[in-house]
Amino acid sequence: MKKLFKLVLNTIPRPLLIRLSYIARPVLALALKGTVFTDPIDGKSFKTFLPYGYGTQRNNVLSPSTLSLERHRLLWLYLNEKTDFFTSKEKKKVLHFAPEQAFYKLFRNQKNLNYTTTDLLSPLADVKADICNLPFEDNQYDIILCNHVLEHIPDDTKAMQELYRVLKPGGMAILQIPQDLSRATTFADDSITDQKERSKIFGQYDHVRIYGRDYFDKLRAIGFKVTEEDYTNKIAAELVAKYCLAKGEIIPVCFK
């Protein structure tokens, strides 16, 4: 199964993969139904989760029902337990980049959210836009979700500036990225253009850097006030295991 998933991820274009996943998801959820692991997003339980990864695959990380990964389940827990994202009586304007299937319908159906999605290619995007040149006015959004996007963007400084520009004063942006916390500084090398080599070095064929611990300071240099939220260490260890979270993953919670 691992080889099959790796082949699918690396050969099928992402927009088509999103469409096909709607067909595969109910079949996978039924086949893997069990009691060992639980997806907190929909509460469904399974005997195992699926493997995932473009280069080196991680075992037991992809939920069969929502197709959520570790970062999605962690974000959902944080939003649900530590913010008023789902409960605010005041309607919030939300801008969601590269919307994930795990969240798309859930967020779209929230009555307290004025929810807009954006991406260059995703079929789930309301607005097709370049993150480095957004077609939105200044200070527009109460909440921005931009998760595992910036590692794809050559000029991430410009992208961060645009995110800061369209966020309202007092607004919150959650800007998750794949991060190697053993690295003090971010690594990038534009001379590496071969997709297999990029996948080997950066973890995915279309990534352009590996973020280190300096990521948070780069966000601060843009103007954000950043909370480095180590939320898995605030959750019971048995739930970290049951929800298949990545222990020690940091959520960058940014404010303007």
Side-chain angles (χ1 to χ4, degrees), residues 80-97:
N80 189 53
E81 297 172 4
K82 294 298 178 181
T83 77
D84 64 351
F85 185 86
F86 295 108
T87 59
S88 173
K89 293 181 181 179
E90 179 184 348
K91 200 159 191 175
K92 294 181 181 291
K93 288 189 69 175
V94 177
L95 182 63
H96 192 173
F97 287 81

Side-chain angles (χ1 to χ4, degrees), residues 45-216:
S45 296
F46 305 94
K47 58 187 176 182
T48 185
F49 281 0
L50 295 160
Y52 188 86
Y54 285 79
T56 301
Q57 289 210 314
R58 308 186 304 284
N59 290 320
N60 199 39
V61 295
L62 181 69
S63 165
S65 57
T66 67
L67 301 184
S68 65
L69 293 167
E70 309 99 314
R71 64 181 182 265
H72 305 129
R73 295 187 289 275
L74 181 63
L75 175 59
W76 186 89
L77 288 167
Y78 180 78
L79 289 174
N80 189 53
E81 297 172 4
K82 294 298 178 181
T83 77
D84 64 351
F85 185 86
F86 295 108
T87 59
S88 173
K89 293 181 181 179
E90 179 184 348
K91 200 159 191 175
K92 294 181 181 291
K93 288 189 69 175
V94 177
L95 182 63
H96 192 173
F97 287 81
E100 301 92 342
Q101 289 184 67
F103 297 137
Y104 181 73
K105 286 186 178 180
L106 177 66
F107 293 174
R108 179 71 76 198
N109 292 333
Q110 281 295 124
K111 300 299 184 183
N112 65 321
L113 302 181
N114 182 349
Y115 180 66
T116 301
T117 60
T118 184
D119 190 67
L120 271 178
L121 300 174
S122 173
L124 303 181
D126 299 316
V127 179
K128 296 293 193 294
D130 180 354
I131 193 173
C132 293
N133 186 24
L134 295 173
F136 309 117
E137 294 182 6
D138 297 355
N139 307 316
Q140 284 294 299
Y141 292 96
D142 299 291
I143 299 170
I144 293 176
L145 302 174
C146 181
N147 303 319
H148 284 234
V149 172
L150 292 171
E151 69 274 11
H152 297 266
I153 309 301
D155 190 353
D156 65 337
T157 299
K158 178 60 176 172
M160 291 175 187
Q161 289 170 340
E162 281 290 271
L163 293 171
Y164 186 82
R165 180 181 67 79
V166 302
L167 185 66
K168 285 183 180 179
M172 177 182 73
I174 296 183
L175 311 178
Q176 289 170 289
I177 40 85
Q179 187 174 24
D180 182 355
L181 291 170
S182 69
R183 291 177 178 269
T185 58
T186 296
F187 171 74
D189 186 344
D190 294 339
S191 70
I192 303 171
T193 56
D194 179 75
Q195 288 193 353
K196 289 184 178 180
E197 190 69 9
R198 297 194 74 80
S199 184
K200 178 181 176 182
I201 294 173
F202 297 113
Q204 195 165 308
Y205 68 91
D206 54 354
H207 288 186
V208 298
R209 66 182 60 82
I210 304 172
Y211 284 106
R213 297 191 304 274
D214 60 341
Y215 173 66
F216 309 113

